[in-house]
Amino acid sequence: MSVNLTLLFEIIAFLAFIYTFKRFLWKPIIDALANREKTIADGLAAAAKGQKDLAEAEKRAEEALAEARRKASEIIDSANRRAGEIIEQAHGEAENARRREVERAQAEIEQASRQAREVLRGDFARIAGLAAGKIIEREIDPRQHQALIEEMTENLVNG
């Protein structure tokens, strides 16, 4: 056999192989490659969607956290304001109680002072009456008169 005839059989065999390959194997291989390409594209799209969803979830979580911090700050501020109001109210009530107690004590002092004056007036009137009675009993002599005044003064001072 010659080289040309061998080459011709090889070309025919190769063409038959290509025909058979294209007829029976080409479509399943192309379909498998297309399915693989679609699966990879779907996977990439799902990954991109997952990353987008993750970014949105992180953003929502940050917003929720910021809102929670804001609300907590408002609650703390409100509690601090209320505490200040309660303290001010307690100071006002304490001041009112102090003022009432001072007024009550002043009233007691005024009453005790009036009673002491009344007692002193009564004592003075009694002593003056006694002194007048002794003066009338004795004869009016300047030395005795002076001694009597000193005695009455001493009685007033010593009680």
Side-chain angles (χ1 to χ4, degrees):
M1 281 214 208
S2 76
V3 175
N4 286 336
L5 193 57
T6 306
L7 188 59
L8 183 63
F9 283 123
E10 284 180 10
I11 290 175
I12 291 173
F14 184 70
L15 289 175
F17 173 73
I18 289 177
Y19 175 76
T20 305
F21 183 78
K22 187 157 182 147
R23 173 111 172 122
F24 298 108
L25 295 176
W26 185 258
K27 180 115 171 98
I29 290 174
I30 293 298
D31 287 345
L33 288 175
N35 283 340
R36 179 69 179 147
E37 183 179 348
K38 184 178 183 295
T39 302
I40 291 171
D42 289 346
L44 290 175
K49 185 177 185 299
Q51 284 188 339
K52 181 182 174 188
D53 290 347
L54 177 64
E56 288 176 4
E58 286 176 349
K59 183 179 177 184
R60 284 193 308 270
E62 269 306 310
E63 290 172 354
L65 187 59
E67 180 67 18
R69 284 183 181 140
R70 185 187 61 77
K71 284 183 180 179
S73 177
E74 287 177 2
I75 290 170
I76 289 171
D77 290 345
S78 174
N80 286 337
R81 278 193 306 273
R82 182 65 183 135
E85 290 170 1
I86 290 171
I87 289 171
E88 285 299 318
Q89 182 181 5
H91 282 198
E93 289 172 3
E95 180 62 26
N96 289 338
R98 183 197 64 81
R99 193 175 302 118
R100 283 191 305 271
E101 189 63 27
V102 166
E103 289 171 357
R104 186 191 60 77
Q106 286 175 342
E108 285 180 12
I109 291 169
E110 183 65 31
Q111 183 179 0
S113 175
R114 271 190 251 122
Q115 286 176 348
R117 278 190 225 125
E118 290 300 319
V119 168
L120 284 176
R121 281 186 194 145
D123 287 348
F124 183 74
R126 185 179 51 82
I127 291 171
L130 288 175
K134 285 192 176 194
I135 290 174
I136 293 175
E137 287 176 8
R138 294 186 184 172
E139 63 179 58
I140 302 186
D141 174 273
R143 260 188 352 210
Q144 287 179 346
H145 187 266
Q146 185 62 31
L148 183 61
I149 291 175
E150 287 175 6
E151 180 184 337
M152 290 297 137
T153 304
E154 189 175 315
N155 284 341
L156 281 175
V157 172
N158 292 333

